[in-house]
Structure formats: structure tokens, C-alpha cells
Amino acid sequence: MEAEGRSTLVFGVHLIAGLLYLGFWGQVMSESGTNAIYIVTLKQAPVAHYSSEMKFSSTGHENEAKGTLNNLQKPRNGSISDQHYGSYLVRLQDSLLKRVLKGENYLKLYSYHYLINGFAVLLTQPQADKLIKRKEVANIALDFSVRTATTHTPEFLGLPKGAWIEEGGPELAGEGVVIGFIDTGIDPTHPSFSDNLSDTPYPIPPHFSGVCEVTRDFPSGSCNRKLVGARHFAASAITRGIFNATQDYASPFDGDGHGTHTASIAAGNHGIPVVVAGHHFGNASGMAPRAHIAVYKSLYKSFGGFAADVVAAIDQAAQDGVDIVSLSITPNRRPPGLATFFNPIDMALLSAVKSGIFVVQAAGNTGPSPKSISSFSPWIFTVGAAVHDRIYSNSVLLGNNLTIQGVGLAPRTVGDTFNTLVSATHALSNDSIGTRDMYLSECQDSSQLNPDLIRGNLLICSYSIRFVLGLSSIKQALQTAKNVSAVGVVFYMDPFVLGFQLNPTPMNMPGLIIPSPSDSQVFLKYYNNSLVRNESSNSILKFGGMARILGGLKANYSNSAPKVVYYSARGPDPEDNMLDDADFMKPNLIAPGNLIWAAWSSLGTDSMEFEGESFAMISGTSMAAPHVAGLAALIKQKFPTFGPSAIGSALSTTASLLDKWGGPIMAQRSYSNPDSNQSPATPFDMGSGFVNATAALNPGLIFDSSFADFLAFLCGINGSSPVVLNYTGEACGPNTIGGPDLNLPSITIAKLNQSRTVYRTVTNIGDNETFTVTWSNPFGVSLSLTPTTFSLAQRQTQSLTVSMVATINSTSPSFGRIGLYGSQGHAVSVPVSVISTVSMSGANP
């Protein structure tokens, strides 16, 4: 096949790195006793900057009349001169290290040359001090750790009757677009990634030049015309001595499950049956089922990942020619320094954006508190998580006619017959001494139970914190129940497990978990009161409690949705470690992220409940980001010349502000009982709103920004000039802009000191249309816009002037919205956020 020619044995560099590690690690330790991995950037421009001078142009708000859309067209296959320049940079890096550290031991892990010019290297502190003094060196940063952060969602997003139809149906949706995933790898054997499910020709896009790494775990033929590239990056982890080859796999293979899940959400094949625990839960599809997948594994089950490996993955993805990068990862800590934006990952992504790559990142799972966002930079499209309308509910009906709600993807007990309830702690075998065994009540060991007492009955087990920690498992409890011939299992919640949200768990026999400790107490009270005991010995004579399980395999679609889920990270965006607020909105958008069915690795162990299954239902902003990555592929397919800002604008300005019932989108405000603690979502909860895939394919107007605009913003940060030069190799000019002046499809002012005027430029990508401008004021702020009406021909631009005046002093965020309504039916929505205000007549609050 065509893809076979792309399968190449390229893991030698990783093997060499491992051998170097084995040879030098002990010497470095003995010489200094202290060492660390540093990411070093050099002042000379990387390939993406060096070769781009004649390929890119910038845009500005000063263009009031007619103009054209800034395409930010990404260069495709790298030229021979680009390749020669990249090799030249690597030689310079090696020469520098040899000269500065002559005769000393060090370990160079990676060369970066496409997005940033630099390398990752294991050094002692004195060696790092020597390097930073060199005029060729721009910046040295310590490596840091990172972490991982749809049968129904296509229907919920309206794809089958909307966006997919516009692209020619699911058989063609996303064709020609390559999505690169920075994640835990992929299981290439999963049918979601097969290329032989359609008779339609499926060529690899000519602009993509990546390869498929071949290892024992990822044999030749693993890649195809769907999965067009796969590599792994682990040098930083190996050097630290924490890489576990048994669990983590020194290959692109996914031993965790997370990467397989996210890739299939974005671009998994259409119509793949979801069968879990023997039950069929519908057919799965990615958002762009015809898009191509390239995998850059840099996160691992045992430890997460490190920035040095992630930067190497991003650099390679850009060099290979991906169109979109999806990162369901976030840093473990807020980056130190002048601003959160100045870290190796975000700066590499800035260069990726300059190369025309749309970058999507998960917001993080640290909500619902303010300023908990873990994706910081304005050139990154940050996605929060929303609940969609599908829920799986289960319940147990007791003999006293009381129904108790539970969770569990399990069948019902047979017919309308009630079954006797028997607790594991009351069903010991005669010779058992396991009354003190911590696992007995959790049904983890059938050898201590009397099958004669349990056969044909419902077994009661406790669900303790050990299940959360992975020390006990539902699968083992179900196997115990089968071993003693129980007809089903009821788990009650240990009272010490507080505030823990249970996801539906697959069960291959009737069963459920009662997630509420109070409901569990009600259940146990009924059970204990139904026991018939010997008055003198207190021994149990009869189990009187009866129940039947009503089952949880059938989905219910009446849930109020979308709503921002409690764990989704929130804005305002912290600009620095002092938690000063940035002048732009985060997150950018919300998308389905809670209880998402998607492909699972055959050896995935991230979610114990789905171990050994081919699909899993898991939750997180990790699941929301690839939804948007897939939808962005549909936009890129329809508008091939759209650059990253244009794609982000189309997604943002068309987002939905209402739930399925026509009410405002709500946001859950607490981890415990989240649906009892919710209020209308603000832009710091949901960004521009909930993604509207079909509307995004016909946005009408576009807010476009260029790399030069982002550079001018960074240069506007006080004291940033040397840092900008160090990271980008470009000097700051006299013209700088603030965050509010970036041509984004939103306006955020961290501190409105009396008054402020900002500008936005829109470009008409549709037919000739006349637009009317309306707005609502944030509390304590008076807005005015000019012009209030304007007409644009196709590809013409119009500047908008937005004036804001503070009318009161306030330290509380307030929100408004600007609407641009076109005569052809386009509706463009722009959220306005003001965090604090100082009025004309007042003093600083």
C-alpha cells in the first residue's frame, strides 16, 4: 500500500539516547551530585522563522476600508533549502556544546530546529551557567512536567444533518486534513483507525511528510492511509530513570488509552459498533471521520510527560506538515517568569501558529474555581468541557417499594421478580476467618464466601476509597459474584468517599453502584431491618430484604444540556504567577467533554473499569479539545486558505449561548452535588459559548490575527523585549499592542481605568451583506460602537471602534456582548468581559 513506503525504522535516535544515558548517567552524578534537564534556545532563527519572511504578512486594525483576509497560509513540503538550514542549525548546536563543555560529560536529548532553535540537554548547574553566558544562547529553562487533561455527540452537535452534509457526508468529512495528536500514543489495530472501511480512494495528503516509527510494539503495517504517521518521544523521561518499558512502551503504541480515545473523538472512522462488557451502545464516529491522524506520543501512563519531550513532538509535527495540533495536556504548574506565555511549549506553539497550524488545547480539569485555567496564550484555542444531554441512569427497587438511584452500565434482573439481598459480610463460609479482611465487604475474594447463601440472590458489596485508588475493582467484585452464583450486585457507597463523582461503569451482569452516601444509608437501613435474627445469639436466621435492579443500558436524552461541568477550568486567564489577569478571554469555547464514548487501547489501563475493552466512556477537558480539533478539520476542509485565527474566529463567533431547551447555558459551581450548585455561565466559564459545528462552516465575518500581532502583544509586556528576542529571534519594534487590541473575536479588559477604546477588524468571507451592530453593556460599563451599520462585499474588511467608559468602581467581573447581524442571516457574537472598573469620579477600588 501507499502507506507502507512511509514505514521507516527511525527509533535508532531513541535507542542511542538510551545507550548514552546508560553510559554517562553515573559519571554526571558523581561529578556534580546535582543535575537537571534544560531546554536551551539559541538566538539564530529556526526554520519556521528563517523561511517565512516572504510567505507571511500581518494585518492591523488600521485597515478600515477594503482589504483581503490574512490567510496565514502554511508552507507545505519543506524546501531543500529549509532542510539544509535545519541541518545547519543542528551542527551549530553540537558545535556550541562541544566548545563550551569541552572535555565534560553532558547528554543532548533533542535538537529543535523547526519551530524553535535549540536543544534539550542534561547538565550540571555549573555547565548551565557556562552556557547562559554565551552570546549565541538566548534562553535556558528547566524542563517541567505535564499531564493528560462519541456515539452520541455527533448527533448532539448536529453533524449528520448539518456540517457533514456540507462536506459530502461522513464518508468525506475532513478529507485531506491531517490532525496531529500530542498524547499517549495510539492503538493502530482499532477499527476506528482502519483505512479499508470505504471503497472511496483515500490518498495521503501530499503536504504531509511524516513517517511511521517501527518497533516490536508497533510493527510494520501499523500505519495506513488513515493513520499516516506515528512517533514517540521519551528522552527526558528515560534520562530521569523513570521510564517503565513494560507499562509505557518505547514506541507509538498506547499503553494508557487516553491517546487512542482522543484521536478517535476527533477523527475516528464513522459507524464503528461500540460493544462494552457484551452490551451494544450504538455506533461511534469522530467529528471528522475522513481526516487523517498523525500521532506524536510524548505522555505515558507511569508519569505523565515532560516539556522537553512535548516540544520535540510539536516541533516534529509542524515539520511533518500537520494542519491541526490537538493537545489534551496541561502543565502541572503555572509557568514561572515574566508571563505565563513565555514557556517552551507555548512559544513552540506560537511558531506553529506562524506556520499556519491551528492549535487546540484542553483547558484543564482544575475547575470550578476562578483563575484555574491551564492553557494561557492567546494564539492557543482553549477548550473547556460541557455536559451533553445523554445520561445512563440505573436504579434498584426495594421490597418496600422504595426506588434508589444508582449508576452502572448493566442489565436488569430477569423479569419482575424480586431477589433476596445478601451482604458479603453476612455470607462467610464456615471456616472463614476473613471478618477482618479489608477486601471482604468489597467482594474482592470469593474464597471466603458461602455460595449456598448467595446463589440466586443479589450480593451486597461496599464501594470504598480503595476502588478510587485502584486497589479494588468492580471487575473483581463481579467475578466474585459469578463465582458464588449471585444474580447481581449492589454496591453501597462507603461514607468516607465524599464528593467523588462516579461515572457509569460497565457490568456484564445485573448491578449498580449507589453513589450517594445518604442513599446508601437508606439502602443499608432497609437491608438490616429486614434481617431476621436469633434473639439470643443474634445470628441471622433469614435474609428478608428483597430488591430488583432496573438496569442502566438504555440512554436517556432528557438531560439539560449543554452545561459547563464542574471540573472544567475557568478564567480569568492568569498572566503571571502573581495571578494578575490577562487582557483576553479563556477558555475560548466549550465542547462535549463529560461521559464520552470513544475508542480504547487494547492494553489501555488508564481507566480500570474499561480495561480489556475496545471502547471507554471517560470524562475531562481532554475529551472536549479533540471535539474541536475534529470540527476545525471540517472548517479547514471547506476553507483551505484559512489560517489558525480565522478557524478560531469561525468557531467562536458562531457558538451557541442557549441550552437545548432555550434557556441560558448553566455552569456547575461545586464538585459536590454539582447540579444543585449551578448558575448561568459567564465567558470565563464557557468562553464564547458551546461549539456550533454547522454554523462555524458559514460564519459570515472573520476576525483575523497574524504572528506579527501576537509578537507585538508580547513586546507590549513590560520588560519583555529580551525574552521575546530570546525565544523568537525577533527584536521588538516601536509599535506594540496590549491584549485588548489583539484582533480576537472577544474583548477582555482586566482593569478598565475610567475609559478605553479598542478596535476590531472584520472580513466578509460570504456574499455581499449589510450588518447591523447591537450590544449589551457589562454592569458598570457604558459601551458605544461605530459604525452601527456597514455593508461589505466579499473579502472586504471593516474596522469597528469600541469605546468603554466605567460608570462605577467595581472589583467584580461583569459581562456584555456585541452582536453583528447580517442581512443574509449571519449572526456574529462577541463576548465582552471587564474584570474591574475605576470610574471617572471614583478613586481606585
Side-chain angles (χ1 to χ4, degrees), residues 500-722:
F500 182 71
Q501 303 297 319
L502 281 177
N503 291 334
T505 300
M507 301 182 188
N508 55 13
M509 66 188 303
L512 87 167
I513 309 168
I514 302 173
S516 163
S518 59
D519 286 349
S520 295
Q521 290 304 309
V522 172
F523 170 77
L524 290 175
K525 182 178 180 180
Y526 164 76
Y527 169 76
N528 288 319
N529 289 344
S530 301
L531 294 173
V532 179
R533 294 182 179 270
N534 183 295
E535 292 185 4
S536 59
S537 66
N538 203 38
S539 61
I540 298 173
L541 301 176
K542 180 182 179 181
F543 296 98
M546 306 292 288
R548 61 188 180 96
I549 296 170
L550 302 185
L553 297 177
K554 187 176 181 180
N556 184 308
Y557 300 95
S558 62
N559 194 34
S560 177
K563 67 176 70 174
V564 185
V565 71
Y566 61 91
Y567 54 75
S568 185
R570 315 296 167 93
D573 185 15
E575 183 170 291
D576 51 40
N577 268 323
M578 301 302 291
L579 296 183
D580 290 331
D581 297 315
D583 286 308
F584 44 82
M585 183 185 68
K586 291 288 180 177
N588 296 86
L589 203 67
I590 55 171
N594 202 59
L595 302 180
I596 305 298
W597 279 121
W600 197 244
S601 174
S602 57
L603 298 178
T605 56
D606 182 49
S607 180
M608 290 185 60
E609 296 90 341
F610 296 97
E611 193 169 348
E613 302 288 355
S614 59
F615 281 86
M617 177 189 284
I618 56 178
S619 302
T621 58
S622 281
M623 286 65 250
H627 275 88
V628 171
L631 298 176
L634 303 183
I635 299 174
K636 186 70 174 178
Q637 180 185 17
K638 183 175 180 180
F639 301 103
T641 62
F642 267 23
S645 292
I647 295 173
S649 175
L651 288 162
S652 297
T653 61
T654 59
S656 302
L657 300 175
L658 303 176
D659 68 15
K660 62 181 291 186
W661 307 116
I665 294 175
M666 304 297 282
Q668 296 175 339
R669 302 293 180 191
S670 70
Y671 190 86
S672 181
N673 300 317
D675 280 333
S676 299
N677 297 276
Q678 58 183 17
S679 60
T682 74
F684 292 149
D685 302 316
M686 66 174 180
S688 292
F690 183 74
V691 65
N692 185 332
T694 303
L697 291 176
N698 186 22
L701 300 176
I702 287 294
F703 294 79
D704 201 16
S705 299
S706 69
F707 169 79
D709 298 326
F710 293 126
L711 192 69
F713 155 70
L714 292 174
C715 289
I717 299 173
N718 190 30
S720 68
S721 293

Side-chain angles (χ1 to χ4, degrees), residues 8 26 129 134 178 357 369 382 431 502 516 536 550 624 645 817:
T8 307
D129 292 339
R134 298 290 300 195
V178 181
I357 300 170
S369 60
T382 305
D431 58 348
L502 281 177
S516 163
S536 59
L550 302 185
S645 292
R817 191 164 293 273

Side-chain angles (χ1 to χ4, degrees), residues 346-368:
D346 283 36
M347 296 310 293
L349 292 173
L350 175 60
S351 291
V353 168
K354 181 177 183 179
S355 295
I357 300 170
F358 181 66
V359 178
V360 188
Q361 185 177 23
N365 299 329
T366 49

Side-chain angles (χ1 to χ4, degrees), residues 297-371:
K297 177 180 174 181
S298 50
L299 283 95
Y300 299 83
K301 174 177 173 53
S302 299
F303 52 85
F306 296 95
D309 296 327
V310 171
V311 171
I314 296 169
D315 195 65
Q316 188 63 60
Q319 187 174 348
D320 289 347
V322 303
D323 300 286
I324 296 164
V325 165
S326 179
L327 301 101
S328 289
I329 64 173
T330 58
N332 279 322
R333 58 181 174 85
R334 191 173 291 110
L338 188 63
T340 53
F341 327 121
F342 292 120
N343 69 82
I345 293 178
D346 283 36
M347 296 310 293
L349 292 173
L350 175 60
S351 291
V353 168
K354 181 177 183 179
S355 295
I357 300 170
F358 181 66
V359 178
V360 188
Q361 185 177 23
N365 299 329
T366 49
S369 60
K371 300 188 183 184

